[in-house]
Amino acid sequence: MILLPDIAHIVPNPRIELATDPAVAGCHRIPQQVEQLEQRVMDKIRSELPDVNWLHNFATLGPYDYVGIFEAPDVETATRVSMLVQIFGHATSEIWAATEWQRFRELLHDMPRAA
């Protein structure tokens, strides 16, 4: 389970990136290296994918070192974010699409009823 703040009211089409970053594992030795990697990745995302709106970053406990939440206009753009994180951040990442809770409820009510 990932605990995140309630952002549903501000994120109409969120994507959640989960990443394990080998550099983060050694950050107690060289914290500046982690900051430099983050800056390099974010600069690349901003320059290559101007339609991406990065919303939040969280350091997490568990199998992932951090979670990033961003908006992307489509799955292809979100996939490109993942590629940039992997190439320039030297991280393994996953992209999870998310549906705002109110929209999920609307979709649920549109589903056919079981017999």
Side-chain angles (χ1 to χ4, degrees):
M1 170 185 264
I2 298 172
L3 301 175
L4 301 173
D6 178 12
I7 61 163
H9 62 284
I10 60 169
V11 185
N13 189 20
R15 305 283 193 257
I16 299 175
E17 179 206 21
L18 305 172
T20 300
D21 188 339
V24 173
C27 71
H28 62 283
R29 290 187 215 121
I30 310 172
Q32 296 84 4
Q33 184 180 28
V34 175
E35 292 173 346
Q36 290 168 355
L37 281 173
E38 175 199 8
Q39 188 62 52
R40 189 167 78 180
V41 171
M42 294 309 296
D43 287 348
K44 202 64 172 170
I45 290 170
R46 286 184 193 104
S47 69
E48 298 291 324
L49 303 170
D51 291 342
V52 169
N53 181 23
W54 204 274
L55 301 170
H56 300 283
N57 285 316
F58 298 94
T60 57
L61 302 174
Y64 299 102
D65 296 316
Y66 62 87
V67 174
I69 300 175
F70 63 93
E71 291 176 304
D74 51 48
V75 173
E76 183 177 305
T77 303
T79 301
R80 291 177 186 270
V81 169
S82 179
M83 290 180 199
L84 291 174
V85 168
Q86 291 175 36
I87 293 167
F88 294 96
H90 308 291
T92 301
S93 67
E94 295 178 20
I95 300 292
W96 292 4
T99 302
E100 191 269 331
W101 187 251
Q102 182 60 38
R103 178 67 182 136
F104 175 80
R105 289 176 57 194
E106 291 168 5
L107 293 170
L108 184 63
H109 288 287
D110 290 340
M111 297 298 296
R113 296 190 183 268

